Amino acid sequence: MAQNQFLIDSDKLTPEALKRKHQVEQDPSARTDPMEYMEGMERISSDIMEKVLDQMRGYEPQEYTDADVCRALMHETCTVDDLKALLSPAALPHLEEMAVRAKQETGRHFGNTVYLFTPLYIANYCENYCVYCGFNRYNDICVKG
Ligand code: SF4
């Protein structure tokens, strides 16, 4: 197996935690599938994912023409087919128009504002093992007294 330089162990992990870490790193079937419901989760019945996947599977970018793109740009509200046209290669000569339209739409919905999002941490202690993160409890954090 190829050595991955980004998989770093810590001597602070318990043997069980280290075993589980290695299992998850080496065996994809041991990983949690984020697309599957886990036990106890509320199940949301919706067909939206299938609808999106159906549209994606049926998308033929080469079928869209310049006329389709122009029509899409004239519509007040874009249909799914309009969006497909705007994503197609036929839209390439219209990038400037699309940028102007996108700016108008953004202004219409959000105004001239900038939103900043930041995660809110209520502790500097996390049980996860993201090697780059200072909140990872297994990282050595230099505390000056
Ligand atoms: S270790 Fe850091 S980046 Fe990873 S989940 Fe915890 S807080 Fe987030």
Side-chain angles (χ1 to χ4, degrees), residues 121 126 128 130 132-133 135-136:
Y121 291 98
C126 183
N128 287 331
C130 306
Y132 56 84
C133 180
F135 294 119
N136 167 0

Side-chain angles (χ1 to χ4, degrees), residues 51-103:
K51 283 182 178 171
V52 171
L53 290 175
D54 281 347
Q55 291 290 339
M56 190 189 78
R57 289 185 201 110
Y59 182 47
E60 298 289 348
Q62 306 301 335
E63 287 183 0
Y64 290 89
T65 64
D66 191 72
D68 295 325
V69 176
C70 291
R71 199 175 310 115
L73 284 169
M74 286 189 322
H75 286 163
E76 171 83 11
T77 303
C78 283
T79 64
V80 171
D81 214 44
D82 288 340
L83 293 170
K84 289 178 177 178
L86 295 173
L87 289 169
S88 76
L92 197 57
H94 298 276
L95 286 181
E96 193 63 38
E97 275 172 274
M98 288 165 64
V100 169
R101 176 72 188 273
K103 188 171 187 292

